[in-house]
Amino acid sequence: MTLRSSKSLALAGTCSALALAAFASPAMAQDDAAPQEAEEQSGVSTIIVTAQRREESVQDVPIAISAFNQETLEQRGIGTALEVAQFVPNLVGLNNTGLGTANAYYLRGIGNTESIATFDPPIGTYVDDIYLSRQNANNLSFFDVERVEVLRGPQGTLFGRNTTGGAVNVFLAEPGDEVAGYAEIGYGSYDRKLARASIDIPLAETFAIKLSGYWQNDDGWAKNVITGERTNENDGWGVRLGLRGELSDTARWTGSYIHTYADSANLLNFDCDPLAAQELNIPDDCDGRFVATGMTENGNFTNAFLGDLLTGRKNDFGLGNQTRMNFVSSNFEFELSPEWSVNIISGFVDIGQKFALDFADGRGLPSTSNPIPPVIGFTYGGFTIANDGEHTQYTQEIKLNGSLGDGLIDLVGGVYYFKEENRTDFGDIFSLPIVFPLPDGYPLLLADRVINNEAEAWAGYVQADVNVTDQLTLTAGIRYTDEEKTFDIRDNRNRLGGNLCIGPGQFGPSTCIDTANLSVNVTPRDAAGNPTGPAAPVAIPSKQSVGVWTPRFAINYDVSDDVLLFASATRGFKSGGWNARGTAPAELLPFAPEKAWSYEAGFKSTLFDRLLQLNVTAFWLDVGGLQTPSAFTRADGSLAFITRNFADYRNKGIEVELTAAPADGFNLFAAIGYQDDKYRLDSDAAPFDEYGIKSVGRQLSDCRAQLALGLIPNTSGADNAPDCGVGIVSPLGELAEPVRTPDWTVALGGSYDVEFGDFTFTPAMNASWRSKSEVGTSEVTLYDGDVLGPNSGNTYPANTIGLGDFIDPLSGSFSDDRWIVNASVTLSNVAGWSLVAECKNCFDEEAIESALANYGYLNSPRTWTLRAKFDF
């Protein structure tokens, strides 16, 4: 290794300490041959990004952005979109409960774990500028990726709707001018096998294609102690055809077709065998992860006594989650003049998803009456959702880039069209330990329905950068979006006449869940919330429309060629929707759009002759009408879902990103994010809304009154304090902590190239830490202290008010602080061969990532992989 200067000698000894002390994050060193690098040079290289819809150095963009190129993705072992989240300050990424193919991102506190199509994610995912509206299949496998950009904060001007928290932009590698590519195979824990390959094929001087693919299969890292099957696998395959045509000196075209299939579950699992824990004659087993549902991969929902429990294809689904996606993109770029160009960007996405998932581990849900439900292994699961979904979307954009006044004003603008159609056929089954012999139990059908919903949006946008001087730039941009959504639902159960429906296992007829029946009985009240008359039906709308302006203002000042100061104010909005998981017509309530203003100030710097990059951003985020999904256990033990615009939200914090290259082959990075957030209530809000739902302020006051009477949250009957531990009100009668917003997130690591002859040996390590947080909206966690019911005289063996100790780390919504460490060693040679040994979560740290109905969901356990790769 050759040191470049005395500055390198000084930095080599101090950068490690600086990385640990400053904890900043990456715009990591680029591969010298990577197409997005501006020029070959030593030190920290600059990545070219398109965060402002034109090519710019990441250090020149007045936006908080983390960028990762091919080399960085490989160094850190990033193989999926979810794994990027470990390295971005104030970003928490997780699989949705049950769904290994769906990512939920929480960025600066803004996120959403709901994947049903009447909800939209607030962190937009884009592939080659094509928006993916559904979370169902956004855990993309990176087998042909040039770079990833994570934009923090609202991006409502240039990227539009559903980016109140930010955007994750994935850019695929273009076909090259020469025959080149790679082939890779690997083997790892849980009998994991993988293969990846890509080849560039120039078919003419002006036209080339890229063929790429991947395949992976494993046994799954959780063992089902009831059926003997293994689950929580990550199987799948995908192929891509990339195309690039240089149509003329002033016109070029790029396009892609991608097909992917993924079979990946994220079932509730335990770190010790729950069956062994309750059987005295079975020794404890805490070596691995365990599942106790009676559902099987090859099962179905046909009962010997009741017949088919569900209608349609989903009745034959077995335990698991599968998605397939077809993705088509096209981008024509025409140079109109040396200063102006236009892009015509088209996209089509078709996603299908099939799953049958047990969210109660084949038994009951934990409660204060039954905090550790016994293992039963219900054949149809404890609480099961079977889903058959089809989702298609089409997008069309015309984007114009150029400059006016001999470079005085740089402009980007365009028009955008979005059309989405969704069909979701799904049913809910809740098993009761009655009537039929176990393990079938009594499968109670809560609902079986088909939802058809559509969204159509038009938008126009423009942003102007006024270069006042060579150093000072003023930016103003605005976008107008006109959107309409429609919602239609039909009950699949047998019709009994009128508006009554009944299905297998159902206790008597109930009102059909149909669009025509969407209403809720609301009692009229005065300004204080007192009843003034009898209840009357209020219709639930099946259409929502919104027209909204989302401006952006920024100022940036180049102190020098190496230091940029910036400040900005940006607005964003997220579409409204419907609470479609309700199991009765009156539960299918709409919720309104959420709207955000974000204010940022910071600097970006490249120091010590490019040996160090240091970027710092401070932010203040105000969100109006935050959409918050919440789930709770009903008195009958079944699971209920509710999503409302419960409150406004404020978050403020700071993010620091650092990258250092003190010597050739020596790369360090660190990252830190701090945030301080809270819900905010409207003191003028009416005590009840138009659908008879209490405001959070009224709920808080009612909860406190119930606690003063000695009632107990999250119990049942006359003892229960019904307004406590529900929604965003904690069991103690306080506003709950916002979910998945740890005060601190930290990432740090590095790599070091040791060259000997034709070989290079590269050890690499990274670690991510986040402080404690809540992952359930109501802060419901079970404790083992007995409490006496004030009215019934019953003794409850558990409570949610903090008496005693945690019953089990998985019985609630509290997530403790944790470190996750990943490491790898790579041996490569100049002939193109490389061997990699890597581990992820190397110390097998366990952490709760999510919670649903008092069950906590753990992160993935330790895994290891050996890979061999050949670049040609």
Side-chain angles (χ1 to χ4, degrees):
M1 179 181 68
T2 301
L3 299 181
R4 291 188 295 276
S5 67
S6 59
K7 295 178 182 178
S8 299
L9 287 169
L11 273 175
T14 61
C15 274
S16 295
L18 181 59
L20 293 173
F23 296 131
S25 170
M28 287 298 295
Q30 266 303 76
D31 189 317
D32 287 342
Q36 67 266 32
E37 186 171 316
E39 61 182 76
E40 186 175 337
Q41 53 192 330
S42 58
V44 176
S45 58
T46 297
I47 300 176
I48 301 302
V49 298
T50 54
Q52 294 196 114
R53 309 303 305 278
R54 60 174 179 261
E55 292 189 350
E56 299 172 284
S57 162
V58 69
Q59 293 301 99
D60 294 334
V61 178
I63 296 174
I65 176 175
S66 299
F68 307 84
N69 64 6
Q70 291 175 339
E71 183 181 15
T72 305
L73 295 172
E74 287 201 9
Q75 285 176 345
R76 303 187 194 182
I78 298 174
T80 66
L82 181 62
E83 292 171 340
V84 172
Q86 300 177 61
F87 307 104
V88 179
N90 287 330
L91 174 60
V92 174
L94 64 146
N95 281 144
N96 278 9
T97 52
L99 304 175
T101 60
N103 293 347
Y105 301 110
Y106 279 73
L107 184 50
R108 295 179 177 176
I110 306 300
N112 191 342
T113 56
E114 182 54 81
S115 63
I116 198 167
T118 58
F119 294 75
D120 292 309
I123 312 298
T125 297
Y126 293 79
V127 177
D128 282 350
D129 287 327
I130 305 301
Y131 172 57
L132 300 184
S133 60
R134 296 294 108 225
Q135 286 189 165
N136 313 61
N138 69 347
N139 191 15
L140 305 169
S141 290
F142 289 169
F143 64 99
D144 207 4
V145 171
E146 176 185 315
R147 72 181 186 279
V148 179
E149 303 173 10
V150 180
L151 283 58
R152 305 192 296 276
Q155 306 296 321
T157 303
L158 295 179
F159 290 90
R161 58 200 287 274
N162 302 335
T163 56
T164 47
V168 177
N169 298 341
V170 178
F171 295 91
L172 304 177
E174 290 188 5
D177 294 324
E178 300 177 352
V179 175
Y182 74 89
E184 181 181 43
I185 58 173
Y187 181 81
S189 49
Y190 306 106
D191 198 28
R192 184 184 186 215
K193 298 174 283 291
L194 63 90
R196 301 191 307 164
S198 178
I199 184 171
D200 294 337
I201 306 175
L203 300 179
E205 289 186 4
T206 58
F207 187 76
I209 66 173
K210 177 187 284 286
L211 298 174
S212 310
Y214 79 95
W215 171 84
Q216 60 192 37
N217 183 273
D218 63 64
D219 291 342
W221 45 261
K223 179 182 178 181
N224 190 326
V225 298
I226 301 298
T227 66
E229 295 178 343
R230 298 198 68 87
T231 189
N232 285 4
E233 67 283 357
N234 185 18
D235 301 339
W237 61 274
V239 293
R240 178 202 174 203
L241 171 63
L243 305 105
R244 176 182 58 82
E246 308 297 335
L247 307 181
S248 71
D249 292 340
T250 59
R252 74 190 307 264
W253 174 70
T254 56
S256 286
Y257 169 71
I258 304 172
H259 177 84
T260 62
Y261 169 81
D263 182 353
S264 182
N266 179 35
L267 288 175
L268 175 68
N269 61 96
F270 301 85
D271 54 355
C272 292
D273 181 350
L275 184 61
Q278 75 179 34
E279 299 291 341
L280 297 178
N281 60 337
I282 301 178
D284 289 343
D285 184 357
C286 297
D287 184 16
R289 299 286 183 84
F290 303 91
V291 172
T293 181
M295 293 181 66
T296 63
E297 293 181 4
N298 296 316
N300 55 47
F301 292 96
T302 299
N303 182 273
F305 299 96
L306 301 173
D308 291 347
L309 303 177
L310 299 170
T311 60
R313 297 188 304 180
K314 63 184 183 295
N315 190 73
D316 295 322
F317 290 177
L319 181 67
N321 167 58
Q322 297 90 37
T323 62
R324 55 118 182 100
M325 179 174 70
N326 291 296
F327 173 94
V328 180
S329 68
S330 170
N331 188 340
F332 285 96
E333 182 175 359
F334 301 95
E335 184 179 318
L336 305 179
S337 71
E339 293 82 21
W340 290 92
S341 65
V342 63
N343 291 78
I344 301 174
I345 306 169
S346 308
F348 175 78
V349 183
D350 171 45
I351 296 174
Q353 182 177 38
K354 303 189 300 182
F355 70 74
L357 299 170
D358 179 10
F359 295 92
D361 197 44
R363 42 182 160 162
L365 296 167
S367 66
T368 53
S369 300
N370 189 15
I372 307 179
V375 174
I376 298 174
F378 285 131
T379 302
Y380 308 110
F383 176 80
T384 299
I385 298 177
N387 182 101
D388 187 4
E390 296 288 338
H391 315 280
T392 61
Q393 67 169 76
Y394 170 74
T395 58
Q396 181 66 63
E397 181 176 15
I398 301 175
K399 176 172 67 76
L400 190 67
N401 269 292
S403 63
L404 297 172
D406 196 24
L408 174 63
I409 300 175
D410 294 323
L411 278 173
V412 58
V415 292
Y416 178 82
Y417 174 73
F418 171 84
K419 174 71 173 180
E420 179 183 28
E421 297 180 352
N422 302 289
R423 184 182 188 275
T424 309
D425 183 358
F426 66 118
D428 304 356
I429 293 175
F430 178 58
S431 294
L432 300 172
I434 58 174
V435 182
F436 295 114
L438 300 178
D440 274 8
Y442 188 84
L444 181 67
L445 181 67
L446 299 178
D448 187 349
R449 63 285 202 202
V450 173
I451 291 174
N452 289 285
N453 64 291
E454 298 183 1
E456 186 173 27
W458 288 91
Y461 64 92
V462 63
Q463 177 173 296
D465 296 328
V466 182
N467 303 304
V468 180
T469 69
D470 290 341
Q471 294 176 289
L472 178 64
T473 301
L474 303 178
T475 298
I478 195 163
R479 187 185 191 103
Y480 179 74
T481 302
D482 184 271
E483 177 183 275
E484 181 176 278
K485 286 187 168 183
T486 60
F487 174 81
D488 180 76
I489 189 168
R490 178 170 176 79
D491 210 307
N492 290 327
R493 294 173 295 179
N494 292 325
R495 308 279 166 151
L496 297 182
N499 291 330
L500 297 180
C501 287
I502 189 168
Q506 185 176 312
F507 290 134
S510 64
T511 303
C512 298
I513 308 176
D514 287 336
T515 304
N517 299 332
L518 295 185
S519 66
V520 57
N521 287 327
V522 178
T523 300
R525 300 176 183 273
D526 60 22
N530 300 309
T532 60
V538 172
I540 297 171
S542 59
K543 179 184 293 186
Q544 296 188 43
S545 299
V546 63
V548 61
W549 296 92
T550 48
R552 177 174 184 261
F553 307 96
I555 180 172
N556 54 295
Y557 182 75
D558 289 311
V559 177
S560 68
D561 290 341
D562 298 324
V563 179
L564 170 73
L565 304 180
F566 68 91
S568 67
T570 309
R571 195 185 193 205
F573 91 100
K574 176 175 178 284
S575 302
W578 287 265
N579 185 50
R581 292 208 183 276
T583 56
E587 295 179 351
L588 303 178
L589 296 176
F591 48 86
E594 67 181 28
K595 299 177 182 180
W597 269 105
S598 175
Y599 309 93
E600 292 183 353
F603 69 86
K604 297 186 175 185
S605 61
T606 304
L607 307 172
F608 303 112
D609 194 22
R610 303 191 56 81
L611 299 183
L612 181 72
Q613 282 183 355
L614 176 63
N615 300 337
V616 178
T617 305
F619 70 90
W620 181 289
L621 174 67
D622 275 318
V623 180
L626 182 71
Q627 297 171 8
T628 307
S630 182
F632 61 94
T633 305
R634 295 187 176 99
D636 64 3
S638 64
L639 192 58
F641 298 89
I642 184 171
T643 294
R644 305 295 294 156
N645 305 95
F646 283 115
D648 297 335
Y649 176 79
R650 173 171 290 169
N651 195 1
K652 55 185 182 293
I654 191 167
E655 296 155 350
V656 185
E657 301 180 301
L658 173 89
T659 306
D664 286 333
F666 188 17
N667 296 291
L668 294 172
F669 75 89
I672 190 168
Y674 170 75
Q675 54 189 340
D676 178 14
D677 66 336
K678 62 181 179 180
Y679 295 121
R680 304 175 68 234
L681 301 183
D682 180 1
S683 58
D684 297 326
F688 293 83
D689 69 11
E690 66 269 36
Y691 302 108
I693 304 299
K694 286 183 182 180
S695 69
V696 176
R698 177 62 181 260
Q699 184 186 346
L700 277 169
S701 62
D702 288 351
C703 169
R704 290 163 183 167
Q706 293 157 13
L707 293 175
L709 294 173
L711 299 179
I712 305 169
N714 307 109
T715 56
S716 59
D719 298 325
N720 188 38
D723 288 292
C724 304
V726 179
I728 62 170
V729 174
S730 78
L732 299 179
E734 304 292 338
L735 272 179
E737 291 289 327
V739 295
R740 297 180 186 85
T741 54
D743 289 348
W744 299 93
T745 59
V746 175
L748 56 90
S751 63
Y752 183 63
D753 293 339
V754 181
E755 297 183 2
F756 51 98
D758 292 338
F759 292 88
T760 302
F761 178 73
T762 306
M765 186 180 75
N766 61 74
S768 61
W769 179 80
R770 66 175 184 240
S771 58
K772 63 184 180 181
S773 64
E774 286 287 336
V775 298
T777 57
S778 310
E779 287 189 21
V780 173
T781 294
L782 296 176
Y783 298 83
D784 64 6
D786 292 348
V787 291
L788 182 66
N791 296 313
S792 69
N794 294 331
T795 298
Y796 296 91
N799 69 88
T800 60
I801 55 177
L803 297 178
D805 299 322
F806 287 130
I807 287 180
D808 185 278
L810 303 185
S811 294
S813 65
F814 176 73
S815 180
D816 210 347
D817 61 285
R818 91 294 184 274
W819 278 102
I820 300 294
V821 176
N822 308 312
S824 68
V825 291
T826 302
L827 179 65
S828 58
N829 72 355
V830 295
W833 289 98
S834 61
L835 300 173
V836 181
E838 64 181 358
C839 64
K840 296 182 179 179
N841 190 10
C842 300
F843 298 110
D844 204 19
E845 181 77 9
E846 295 174 354
I848 290 178
E849 298 288 333
S850 190
L852 183 64
N854 303 336
Y855 274 131
Y857 283 70
L858 289 171
N859 62 325
S860 302
R862 174 180 54 237
T863 59
W864 58 265
T865 306
L866 301 175
R867 294 184 283 118
K869 183 179 180 183
F870 178 62
D871 292 292
F872 58 89

